[in-house]
């Protein structure tokens, strides 16, 4: 993202309609890029019901669970689990933020809600140098948030991990391709927290992002399971 640079940022983070002062990810679309269905369910993943557990690929050895405080809440708890002896072991947790209006199972671009679901995590990038991740990492100034946004948001995209939600796996996180169309949004990322709700992404502290970048391993097929607590338990 200066004219051309800004355009790249807007498309990388959710489409052409951007709410200034938002997190740069106005929308997200369900579908392409989500984790596979019909795979063996994991056992022992706390507060995640059969519907979503059944969508966790049998090969996945790492799950990042985003537990939203409520359907209309922007606050969440993020927990990393690893598979161990057929179950799941809690590794670390952090407080974070999701969409400023909460969660939805039928997201549309610009609704300021994060998508509920299970999605793979395959690509990373950001303004800063690779901190030592195993994920493919794209470093580029094009990730920088426009300086027209509130100062508190300027470093949101120092590090990002793409959530595979209406995007092409294997592409840089800011690739603008939306296989299911712009109306379903895209550019849904894990990124640095700015202290409040996002437009659809999940915001985490820099310490948390650095830890995840160094810990998530493509060989373990990491996924994110995300939603408000009631939707996760369903």
């Amino acid at each position: 993202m200066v004219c051309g640079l800004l355009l790249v940022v807007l498309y990388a983070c959710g489409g052409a309609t951007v709410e200034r002062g938002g997190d740069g990810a106005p929308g997200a679309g369900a579908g392409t890029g989500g984790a596979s269905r019909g795979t063996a369910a994991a056992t022992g993943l706390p507060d995640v019901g059969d519907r979503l557990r059944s969508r966790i690929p049998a090969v996945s050895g790492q799950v990042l669970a985003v537990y939203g405080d409520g359907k209309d809440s922007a606050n969440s708890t993020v927990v990393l689990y690893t598979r161990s002896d057929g179950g799941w072991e809690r590794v670390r947790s952090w407080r974070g933020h999701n969409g400023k209006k909460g969660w939805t199972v039928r997201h549309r671009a610009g609704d300021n809600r994060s998508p509920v679901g299970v999605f793979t995590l395959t690509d990373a990038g950001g303004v800063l140098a690779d901190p030592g991740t195993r994920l493919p990492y794209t470093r580029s100034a094009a990730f920088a948030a426009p300086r027209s946004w509130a100062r508190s948001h300027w470093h949101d995209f120092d590090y990002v991990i793409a959530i595979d939600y209406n995007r092409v796996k294997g592409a840089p996180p800011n690739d603008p391709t939306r296989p299911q169309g712009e109306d379903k949004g895209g550019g849904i990322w894990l990124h640095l927290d700015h202290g409040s709700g996002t437009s659809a992404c999940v915001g985490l502290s820099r310490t948390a992002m650095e830890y995840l970048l160094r810990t998530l391993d493509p060989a373990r097929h990491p996924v994110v399971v995300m939603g408000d607590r009631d939707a996760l338990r369903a």
Side-chain angles (χ1 to χ4, degrees):
M1 318 164 220
V2 203
C3 287
L5 179 62
L6 176 59
L7 183 62
V8 174
V9 171
L10 300 186
Y11 276 96
C13 302
T17 303
V18 171
E19 179 180 0
R20 295 298 187 227
D23 76 340
T32 302
S36 302
R37 296 176 180 268
T39 51
T43 58
L45 196 62
D47 298 317
V48 178
D50 291 344
R51 181 177 65 85
L52 291 179
R53 280 193 289 112
S54 68
R55 296 179 58 187
I56 299 173
V59 295
S60 290
Q62 294 176 319
V63 166
L64 188 69
V66 182
Y67 298 99
D69 284 4
K71 182 180 178 181
D72 300 320
S73 173
N75 301 315
S76 53
T77 299
V78 182
V79 184
L80 178 65
Y81 298 96
T82 60
R83 193 190 295 272
S84 177
D85 297 325
W88 292 99
E89 178 181 353
R90 182 187 179 108
V91 177
R92 192 165 294 192
S93 66
W94 308 269
R95 289 296 290 172
H97 291 95
N98 49 265
K100 63 189 70 175
K101 290 188 177 180
W103 298 90
T104 180
V105 296
R106 294 183 180 87
H107 183 82
R108 289 294 182 270
D111 69 4
N112 292 317
R113 291 180 179 270
S114 295
V116 175
V118 179
F119 309 98
T120 51
L121 301 170
T122 57
D123 303 284
V127 176
L128 300 181
D130 181 352
T133 185
R134 297 181 180 92
L135 298 170
Y137 190 91
T138 301
R139 183 188 187 187
S140 174
F143 283 98
R147 289 309 188 252
S148 60
W149 291 3
R151 183 181 292 270
S152 59
H153 295 65
W154 286 4
H155 295 284
D156 282 9
F157 312 135
D158 281 358
Y159 293 125
V160 307
I161 299 172
I163 294 172
D164 291 336
Y165 193 88
N166 194 24
R167 69 177 298 270
V168 177
K169 295 181 186 180
N174 58 354
D175 185 301
T177 306
R178 302 289 175 256
Q180 290 198 330
E182 295 294 330
D183 63 319
K184 289 184 178 292
I188 307 304
W189 297 343
L190 303 171
H191 65 60
L192 268 63
D193 190 42
H194 51 247
S196 61
T198 71
S199 295
C201 297
V202 175
L204 291 164
S205 68
R206 176 167 177 160
T207 299
M209 286 296 297
E210 289 176 340
Y211 181 86
L212 290 172
L213 283 165
R214 293 170 180 152
T215 303
L216 295 177
D217 184 353
R220 304 197 71 181
H221 307 280
V223 300
V224 60
V225 181
M226 53 195 284
D228 60 277
R229 289 187 180 274
D230 286 345
L232 291 180
R233 282 192 291 260

